[in-house]
């Protein structure tokens, strides 16, 4: 049975669904889109550099901006120096986040050099890092990990047990190795093994594309909640769809008009928020979001070859107007 809530210390997260942190995606504007569509229990920031936070650079602090209506919200930080991570965590707590998450899963090369899944290669050091952060903050501390560095070094259970011992209060498991990146299939058996090894809540992540997948992950692994990343960027309605599916056994797919409305509102919100990289975010989101749209490749091409936010909005309007006019009869 799908859990009604995720309990982390004294905080009940309802429903037991979490938006995964995604670089360049889960900024305050996108998080508010997810909140507005409903069905998501906890949202998370983009992963944020502890080194940048320790220097309090404007760009890094910008990643941690959030509005009051985004609660409950977790900040995810990454780094490899225990003292710097502890300092960054304390600053994050002061900013008013509900919990702090340590990134032990990012497979990107430049992150691996200073944290992310690179931390999984030295568990003695990782334990020191967890302990330093735990001592620095009073709010709940969670971690997100991969199954290991490669198929010969699957360390998820070992990391989970160590994290629990140090005082980490929940663990999200993406059961791919660092070397897999996002290729192949997520091995949900790793989530099950972690769940059977610790008492703290275990959150399953990886290859949830539909509400049925979310239900199946809970059934097959016994995990306490699900975390969704890439599927939410292409289908922000997925959390609401899960809620509907659990209630009625059915859910509705967004119409083309729904997608048009959300895309335009999201782009307009980026402009209103004066995001310094609004055009880049528009192009990135168009790549992720338009795969569910008829003739979506044409829209992606049009957006990627625009130079300004105004031009992008005009091309989006023109595309959907033409698409509606060319829709098959009865569509």
């Amino acid at each position: 049975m799908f859990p009604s809530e995720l309990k982390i210390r004294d905080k009940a997260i309802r429903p037991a669904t979490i938006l995964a942190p995604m670089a360049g995606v889960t900024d305050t504007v996108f998080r508010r889109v997810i909140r507005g569509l409903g069905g998501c229990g906890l949202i998370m920031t983009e992963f944020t550099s502890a080194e940048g936070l320790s220097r309090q650079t404007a760009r890094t602090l910008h990643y941690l901006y959030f509005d009051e209506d985004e609660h409950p919200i977790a900040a995810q930080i990454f780094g490899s120096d225990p003292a710097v991570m502890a300092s960054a965590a304390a600053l994050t707590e002061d900013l008013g986040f509900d919990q702090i998450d340590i990134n032990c899963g990012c497979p990107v090369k430049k992150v691996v050099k200073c944290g992310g899944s690179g931390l999984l290669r030295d568990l003695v050091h990782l334990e020191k890092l967890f302990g330093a952060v735990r001592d620095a903050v009073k709010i709940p501390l969670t971690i997100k990990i991969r199954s290991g560095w490669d198929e010969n070094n699957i360390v998820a259970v070992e990391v989970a047990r160590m994290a629990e011992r140090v005082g980490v209060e929940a663990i999200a498991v993406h059961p791919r190795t660092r070397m897999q990146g996002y290729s192949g299939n997520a091995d949900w058996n790793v989530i099950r093994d972690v769940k059977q090894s610790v008492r703290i809540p275990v959150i399953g992540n990886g290859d949830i594309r539909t509400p049925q997948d979310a239900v199946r992950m809970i059934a097959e692994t016994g995990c306490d909640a699900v975390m969704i990343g890439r599927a939410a960027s292409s289908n922000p309605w997925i959390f609401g769809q899960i809620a509907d599916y659990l209630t009625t056994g059915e859910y509705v797919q967004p119409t083309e008009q729904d997608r048009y409305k959300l895309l335009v509102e999201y782009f307009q919100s980026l402009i209103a928020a004066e995001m310094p990289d609004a055009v880049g975010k528009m192009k990135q989101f168009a790549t992720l979001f338009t795969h569910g749209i008829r003739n979506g490749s044409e829209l992606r091409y049009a957006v990627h070859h625009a130079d300004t936010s105004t031009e992008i909005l005009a091309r989006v309007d023109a595309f959907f107007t033409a698409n509606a006019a060319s829709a098959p009869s009865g569509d």
Side-chain angles (χ1 to χ4, degrees):
M1 179 178 292
F2 204 94
S4 61
E5 65 180 29
L6 168 65
K7 199 77 175 289
I8 299 179
R9 199 191 293 175
D10 58 343
K11 297 182 183 296
I13 295 167
R14 302 188 186 97
T17 53
I18 301 171
L19 173 66
M22 292 179 283
V25 177
T26 53
D27 56 35
T28 182
V29 176
F30 183 76
R31 294 192 307 261
R32 292 205 301 273
V33 168
I34 294 296
R35 274 279 179 255
L37 293 172
C40 183
L42 176 70
I43 54 178
M44 301 185 77
T45 66
E46 302 175 66
F47 66 80
T48 305
S49 165
E51 289 285 351
L53 285 174
S54 68
R55 295 190 296 271
Q56 297 197 29
T57 62
R59 176 169 180 167
T60 304
L61 289 170
H62 178 74
Y63 291 135
L64 295 184
Y65 173 82
F66 68 95
D67 282 338
E68 284 302 308
D69 61 0
E70 294 183 54
H71 288 290
I73 181 172
Q76 189 186 74
I77 59 176
F78 76 91
S80 60
D81 184 304
V84 173
M85 285 287 283
S87 175
L91 173 61
T92 303
E93 181 176 42
D94 289 343
L95 291 174
F97 284 92
D98 298 294
Q99 66 186 57
I100 294 171
D101 189 81
I102 298 175
N103 183 309
C104 305
C106 181
V108 176
K109 189 174 182 179
K110 67 178 181 180
V111 175
V112 166
K113 290 180 180 179
C114 58
S117 57
L119 296 170
L120 301 176
R121 292 178 291 183
D122 186 347
L123 301 194
V124 173
H125 178 77
L126 185 57
E127 183 168 4
K128 292 178 182 177
L129 189 152
F130 287 165
V133 176
R134 177 67 285 171
D135 290 343
V137 297
K138 296 182 176 64
I139 60 176
L141 172 64
T142 64
I143 62 174
K144 185 173 188 287
I145 70 169
R146 287 210 163 211
S147 54
W149 181 256
D150 57 33
E151 62 181 10
N152 296 316
N153 295 278
I154 305 299
V155 296
V157 169
E158 189 176 353
V159 171
R161 287 172 172 162
M162 176 261 285
E164 181 177 45
R165 185 170 66 249
V166 171
V168 172
E169 292 162 273
I171 178 170
V173 182
H174 181 142
R176 284 184 173 88
T177 66
R178 186 270 168 178
M179 298 306 292
Q180 275 184 278
Y182 293 98
S183 65
N185 296 319
D187 182 1
W188 290 0
N189 291 326
V190 175
I191 301 172
R192 181 203 61 207
D193 292 345
V194 170
K195 175 58 185 172
Q196 293 175 355
S197 301
V198 295
R199 294 183 301 277
I200 59 175
V202 174
I203 300 153
N205 174 230
D207 291 357
I208 296 177
R209 302 180 181 93
T210 67
Q212 293 93 324
D213 291 335
V215 171
R216 184 167 58 86
M217 177 181 277
I218 295 288
E220 292 184 8
T221 70
C223 64
D224 301 283
V226 297
M227 176 181 283
I228 302 174
R230 286 177 294 165
S233 61
S234 58
N235 176 22
W237 293 271
I238 190 168
F239 296 104
Q241 289 174 336
I242 291 172
D244 290 343
Y245 182 68
L246 292 173
T247 302
T248 68
E250 299 177 339
Y251 59 94
V252 175
Q253 292 288 359
T255 65
E256 192 161 287
Q257 188 64 28
D258 292 331
R259 288 185 172 275
Y260 173 40
K261 182 173 183 290
L262 187 145
L263 190 61
V264 169
E265 289 179 353
Y266 174 65
F267 285 177
Q268 290 173 336
S269 295
L270 286 173
I271 297 168
E274 299 182 344
M275 290 283 185
D277 52 349
V279 170
K281 283 181 175 292
M282 287 178 177
K283 292 181 178 181
Q284 179 184 27
F285 189 68
T287 298
L288 298 167
F289 184 72
T290 56
H291 287 281
I293 296 173
R294 184 169 53 88
N295 303 321
S297 61
E298 297 176 13
L299 177 56
R300 289 190 291 277
Y301 182 89
V303 169
H304 276 275
H305 287 80
D307 296 321
T308 66
S309 56
T310 301
E311 188 179 357
I312 288 174
L313 284 170
R315 292 188 177 193
V316 169
D317 285 339
F319 169 83
F320 279 99
T321 299
N323 231 28
S326 65
S329 178
D331 189 14

